[in-house]
Amino acid sequence: MQKVNLSDDIYFIGFNDRRTHLFENIWPIPHGISYNSYMIVDEKITLIDTVERSYIDEYLNNIEELIGDRQVDYLVINHMEPDHSGALKAIVQKYPGITLVGNKKTFGFVESFYFMPQNVLEVYDGYTLDLGKHKLQFQMIPMVHWPETMVTFEETTQILFSGDAFGSYGTLDGGIFDDEVNLGFYEVEVMRYFTNIVGKYCPHTQRAIKKLAPFDIKMIAATHGPIWRSDLEWILTRYNKWSSYDLERGVIIVYGSMYGNTQRMAEVIARQLAVRGIKNIRVYDASKTHPSYIINDVFKYKGFIVGSAAYNNAMFPNVETLLSTIEHMAPKNHYLGIFGNFSWSGGGVKNLKTFAEKIKWELVYDPVEEKGALKPNMKEELLKLANAMADKLLTEG
Ligand code: FEO
């Protein structure tokens, strides 16, 4: 293996996954993902998180290449999700004297996923672990992304091992550090990772950002994606903006359409928004674009207009999937418009109204529902819906 140093004796020992199609078996990762693990070689040898189980053999080999016959003393478990704890059991088997470092919630997860841990060190906010030259301080950041999640701050080098926080989809294709890659590539992948995985926990992310603010952090080493050492503001500014629902003027229009009538309604709305001066308009066919990408725009733009054809007296299934994902993540501060189409007894708009009640976003205009092909009177209603959305967005400055 090629050594990748974060400092003289702190190493990156992660892996790229270009095989998996869906992260968590839900989210598309066409550009793959990395599982980042780190090792500190000091008087005490310490691993920070491990890797996904497919990489166990190579992972153990790499550790051995770095430390030879020495034993690993500590495994810090910042986050127990199996994409990072996949090699935990193998590590304990190979280094039976190892101590697992976690908090009061961590070891319950170890027991439920793997085995009853024996050698454990329970840490808490501010606890410091002396490794010799290096000192690790722990801070709890629950729900970014699981209840047991914590971060580890190495005081000598001022490196923050941040777990999922500040992570990204996308493999590390040669470049490991932010100054070795074109961040333009990671722009969408960082945001998708945030919105897809951590987006439900925005208030917790805000609390974590505030909690970590007093630390003089020189480097952020997350469990996925690039290591941030040159431009920490790049990632910190974005996380702060997204997790505080700081939205831009723009509208997402999503529709589910079988034969084009609902799509035509969407096109009318989109055109009128553009005529009114809205420049950020994204129109999506819910059957074509995965929610992973649409959710990104929901965390970016303030307007959301959704249309559904009736399907077996219900909402169009792919629209329903998207809306249940949005409902689950519950992003805030949006304006909402709804429309739809039916052939006999309806079901699309009826269920969109139920979504509107649950999500509690401000409905800018009455729901618009057409039967079959779009006719002039209903086209007028769509124009009014678009105007109502434009009015709301434009008056906000
Ligand atoms: Fe990358 Fe929440 O695990």
Side-chain angles (χ1 to χ4, degrees), residues 258-322:
M258 277 175 289
Y259 301 110
N261 286 323
T262 312
Q263 177 181 352
R264 272 188 284 282
M265 298 174 81
E267 305 284 8
V268 169
I269 297 167
R271 178 63 199 145
Q272 183 62 14
L273 285 168
V275 167
R276 289 293 310 276
I278 305 297
K279 290 201 163 59
N280 292 312
I281 304 167
R282 301 280 179 274
V283 182
Y284 292 109
D285 183 330
S287 297
K288 168 96 179 285
T289 306
H290 192 282
S292 169
Y293 295 89
I294 301 173
I295 289 285
N296 250 25
D297 280 344
V298 173
F299 276 82
K300 198 184 286 180
Y301 300 123
K302 200 166 177 67
F304 184 82
I305 301 179
V306 56
S308 176
Y311 192 86
N312 292 337
N313 301 328
M315 203 192 298
F316 193 73
N318 293 336
V319 174
E320 195 168 13
T321 300
L322 170 71

Side-chain angles (χ1 to χ4, degrees), residues 87-363:
L88 190 154
K89 204 169 170 179
I91 286 288
V92 172
Q93 277 165 353
K94 181 158 183 183
Y95 302 105
I98 198 168
T99 298
L100 303 183
V101 181
N103 55 70
K104 63 181 177 189
K105 297 211 173 112
T106 312
F107 304 117
F109 281 112
V110 175
E111 185 187 348
S112 61
F113 274 81
Y114 304 112
F115 54 84
M116 175 69 91
Q118 298 301 318
N119 302 331
V120 300
L121 174 64
E122 189 176 305
V123 300
Y124 43 81
D125 268 341
Y127 186 105
T128 303
L129 177 60
D130 197 335
L131 306 180
K133 184 176 142 199
H134 297 284
K135 287 177 183 43
L136 302 179
Q137 190 193 142
F138 305 96
Q139 293 290 329
M140 309 301 122
I141 56 161
M143 304 318 299
V144 190
H145 152 229
W146 276 15
E148 90 303 2
T149 310
M150 63 182 196
V151 295
T152 302
F153 183 65
E154 201 293 295
E155 294 179 352
T156 315
T157 54
Q158 296 164 280
I159 299 172
L160 180 75
F161 297 97
S162 64
D164 280 346
F166 314 114
S168 177
Y169 291 145
T171 47
L172 297 166
D173 296 344
I176 308 283
F177 298 92
D178 59 346
D179 49 81
E180 296 177 336
V181 301
N182 180 348
L183 285 178
F185 167 77
Y186 289 98
E187 183 80 51
V188 173
E189 297 300 75
V190 166
M191 187 173 188
R192 272 203 317 127
Y193 186 80
F194 171 79
T195 61
N196 297 180
I197 307 301
V198 188
K200 179 174 173 57
Y201 306 108
C202 285
H204 305 81
T205 306
Q206 277 289 301
R207 276 197 283 278
I209 289 171
K210 287 183 177 65
K211 190 172 190 176
L212 297 173
F215 289 81
D216 188 10
I217 299 166
K218 296 279 190 265
M219 196 184 301
I220 298 176
T223 44
H224 303 285
I227 297 169
W228 309 93
R229 70 177 177 188
S230 293
D231 190 0
L232 274 60
E233 275 308 298
W234 193 98
I235 187 73
L236 291 169
T237 307
R238 281 164 175 75
Y239 256 67
N240 193 36
K241 179 176 163 62
W242 301 330
S243 60
S244 57
Y245 307 114
D246 179 8
L247 302 168
E248 299 167 28
R249 180 190 289 165
V251 182
I252 307 138
I253 303 170
V254 192
Y255 64 84
S257 182
M258 277 175 289
Y259 301 110
N261 286 323
T262 312
Q263 177 181 352
R264 272 188 284 282
M265 298 174 81
E267 305 284 8
V268 169
I269 297 167
R271 178 63 199 145
Q272 183 62 14
L273 285 168
V275 167
R276 289 293 310 276
I278 305 297
K279 290 201 163 59
N280 292 312
I281 304 167
R282 301 280 179 274
V283 182
Y284 292 109
D285 183 330
S287 297
K288 168 96 179 285
T289 306
H290 192 282
S292 169
Y293 295 89
I294 301 173
I295 289 285
N296 250 25
D297 280 344
V298 173
F299 276 82
K300 198 184 286 180
Y301 300 123
K302 200 166 177 67
F304 184 82
I305 301 179
V306 56
S308 176
Y311 192 86
N312 292 337
N313 301 328
M315 203 192 298
F316 193 73
N318 293 336
V319 174
E320 195 168 13
T321 300
L322 170 71
L323 296 189
S324 83
T325 308
I326 291 174
E327 221 179 290
H328 172 76
M329 293 185 173
K332 299 194 189 331
N333 296 346
H334 290 79
Y335 296 128
L336 177 66
I338 57 183
F339 66 99
N341 202 290
F342 71 105
S343 303
W344 63 94
S345 65
V349 166
K350 186 178 92 181
N351 285 290
L352 289 178
K353 286 180 190 168
T354 307
F355 166 76
E357 283 162 19
K358 286 194 209 158
I359 199 80
K360 294 187 173 66
W361 293 345
E362 185 179 339
L363 199 59

